[in-house]
Amino acid sequence: MTEHRTRVDVGIVGGGPAGLMTALLLKRRGISAAVIETRTKDTIHHTQRAGILEAATVNMLVDAEVGSRVLTAGHEHEGTVLSFDGEAHRIDFQALVGRSVWLYPQNEVFFDLANAWEREGGEIHWAVTDTQVHDVETAAPRISFTDAAGQERGIEADLIVGTDGSRSMCRKLIPEQVRTDHFISYPFAWFGILCEAPPTAPELIYANSELGFALISQRNETVQRMYFQCDPDTDPQSWSEDAIFDHIQAVLGHEGGVQLKRGPIIEKTVLPFRSYVCDPLSHGRLALAGDAGHTVPPTGAKGLNLAFADVRALVPCVEEFIAELRAGRAETGSGAPGSGAPGSGESVSVIETPAALRRYSRTALDRVWKAQNFSYWATNLLHRHPEENPFTHRRRRGEFDAITGSVHGQAYFADSYTGWSD
């Protein structure tokens, strides 16, 4: 079967929020992009994902003109509640740092971006198979895959962006002698539920007790999401509905505290997590963004926001890189984008990583490590480790009091949670 080939400035592997936002912002700057994704659009849209969006993430969605649903269907949260042994303290984001966060599920962010990209006629291939990325260490990288109709296809580009998630294929294209994988695992996971019930509280509640961690989150006015700490090997079906709600209520406390709104549970999942960073985030004509380059535990609500911060750092660097290529082609008269092949003046030998992409990696990683620090700290503050003793719990209580009892401690939490400036 003959391979059908197209050519763009940037080929993007991964059609989740990070890949689609990258494609849209590049298009706004006159840079063509094509996106491929192994899942179907419907599968991603109906995979329930939590979503706390920093103000900068909301601004990106608004500025990219993907629609106003984030503002009309999302819920602005001006603070959050930290609870320890049933004692609750509200962290007032607006009073402390003048910023809010928005509750808007990640799968809805994806849906808005996918619709915007398709409305604008952007090239995207859903449900692809046999994906391979070739020659990223040369000036002629390309992607090969089989589309949903069984047609063999190829995308030739000047740059490949890998936004293909935590099990990234693109990440492995950075040689082991170049790449450093930083990671730690956690000895606990989250048991998550969706239940048909009204909101328990107007804002999220992060709770810790001698029983461990629990999070009271939201989805909408009729469906709520909650989590509690569990062993990574837990079988979700081993917990009854009453046992789940009773345990979460026990973490929150029974006397004078928040009383859970209960309802039928429609989903149970166990979510293990770890902290991971790939360094560098660029190599040759390849750049990584989002979970392809780093993952964080969900406690700090940084996953999607960190991916969008990557995109904010990446897009100007890609624009600079493409502008330099175009200027060089204009001077030499070599092939331009759309010719169906790299310019005749370009070598297919191994090349160095362009300066703009090296700068992207440094800039993005600075923020990644800040986010890793906050997420690691919040995770250890709010979870109970196996085999810890009473001293550890009391020490953690002292740390909690130091944060909640000081305007400076509260401001640190608020500034980190709502997102730093770029």
Side-chain angles (χ1 to χ4, degrees):
M1 184 181 295
T2 302
E3 183 181 79
H4 177 74
R5 292 196 177 192
T6 59
R7 195 183 199 289
V8 291
D9 296 314
V10 179
I12 300 175
V13 181
L20 291 168
M21 180 60 83
T22 300
L24 277 166
L25 295 186
L26 290 175
K27 190 174 188 296
R28 300 284 187 271
R29 298 175 184 230
I31 298 170
S32 61
V35 184
I36 67 165
E37 169 59 51
T38 59
R39 296 164 293 176
T40 67
K41 180 180 177 182
D42 188 67
T43 296
I44 304 175
H45 183 213
H46 290 97
T47 300
Q48 300 292 337
R49 300 290 298 275
I52 289 293
L53 308 184
E54 298 171 359
T57 298
V58 173
N59 291 339
M60 287 178 72
L61 292 168
V62 173
D63 293 345
E65 300 174 352
V66 303
S68 60
R69 288 206 314 142
V70 66
L71 300 178
T72 58
H75 298 274
E76 181 179 5
H77 287 191
E78 296 183 350
T80 196
V81 174
L82 301 181
S83 173
F84 204 103
D85 289 337
E87 182 179 324
H89 294 264
R90 182 174 184 268
I91 307 297
D92 190 331
F93 298 152
Q94 280 291 333
L96 292 161
V97 296
R99 296 191 297 271
S100 297
V101 296
W102 271 256
L103 179 74
Y104 190 62
Q106 181 173 324
N107 48 305
E108 298 301 330
V109 173
F110 157 79
F111 191 63
D112 294 344
L113 288 166
N115 287 343
W117 184 242
E118 290 175 343
R119 277 197 309 271
E120 298 192 14
E123 182 180 348
I124 186 163
H125 302 274
W126 304 107
V128 306
T129 56
D130 306 320
T131 302
Q132 294 187 58
V133 178
H134 311 269
D135 303 327
V136 296
E137 294 181 324
T138 78
R142 62 186 177 88
I143 306 167
S144 64
F145 61 97
T146 302
D147 68 17
Q151 170 70 52
E152 293 181 2
R153 289 183 173 270
I155 296 173
E156 296 174 341
D158 293 313
L159 172 68
I160 305 298
V161 174
T163 55
D164 51 337
S166 59
R167 294 181 175 86
S168 173
M169 172 196 69
C170 291
R171 180 198 309 145
K172 297 175 183 177
L173 299 175
I174 302 178
E176 290 186 2
Q177 64 268 29
V178 174
R179 184 184 81 236
T180 301
D181 296 306
H182 305 275
F183 68 92
I184 60 168
S185 298
Y186 295 86
F188 39 73
W190 279 10
F191 192 121
I193 64 166
L194 281 175
C195 65
E196 295 177 340
T200 290
E203 297 172 335
L204 272 63
I205 301 174
Y206 290 84
N208 177 279
S209 78
E210 290 186 349
L211 296 173
F213 168 81
L215 169 61
I216 311 305
S217 185
Q218 303 164 358
R219 277 283 292 164
N220 52 45
E221 297 304 317
T222 60
V223 176
Q224 308 310 314
R225 182 172 282 280
M226 304 178 192
Y227 302 92
F228 65 89
Q229 177 182 342
C230 69
D231 186 275
D233 296 325
T234 298
D235 176 8
Q237 303 311 313
S238 66
W239 283 72
S240 69
E241 289 195 3
D242 286 343
I244 289 170
F245 286 121
D246 288 348
H247 180 81
I248 296 173
Q249 184 66 68
V251 176
L252 290 174
H254 290 281
E255 297 183 4
V258 173
Q259 298 301 306
L260 284 180
K261 298 291 178 63
R262 305 187 181 203
I265 293 176
I266 56 179
E267 180 183 282
K268 301 178 187 177
T269 55
V270 171
L271 307 170
F273 47 86
R274 66 174 187 163
S275 298
Y276 169 77
V277 179
C278 174
D279 186 356
L281 295 175
S282 61
H283 177 70
R285 293 288 184 90
L286 170 70
L288 305 177
D291 286 355
H294 44 76
T295 57
V296 290
T299 321
K302 287 289 169 238
L304 178 59
N305 296 297
L306 199 53
F308 273 30
D310 286 351
V311 175
R312 292 198 300 274
L314 176 62
V315 167
C317 293
V318 173
E319 183 181 32
E320 176 185 328
F321 168 64
I322 296 296
E324 290 174 351
L325 282 183
R326 290 174 177 174
R329 287 167 175 155
E331 288 180 5
T332 62
S334 59
S339 65
S344 59
E346 294 178 295
S347 170
V348 293
S349 60
V350 175
I351 60 171
E352 292 186 357
T353 304
L357 299 185
R358 294 199 303 271
R359 187 167 64 255
Y360 156 68
S361 180
R362 291 194 300 270
T363 301
L365 285 173
D366 284 346
R367 189 185 188 97
V368 166
W369 282 113
K370 287 175 67 175
Q372 290 287 1
N373 175 66
F374 175 69
S375 298
Y376 175 86
W377 169 78
T379 297
N380 284 282
L381 173 67
L382 292 165
H383 290 74
R384 180 179 176 84
H385 283 256
E387 300 179 1
E388 70 178 40
N389 58 31
F391 174 89
T392 307
H393 185 69
R394 297 292 297 183
R395 185 214 61 77
R396 187 185 296 110
R397 176 58 191 258
E399 184 177 11
F400 176 84
D401 289 343
I403 293 296
T404 58
S406 162
V407 67
H408 302 293
Q410 293 180 45
Y412 168 74
F413 187 93
D415 188 46
S416 300
Y417 193 88
T418 61
W420 312 277
S421 60
D422 290 331

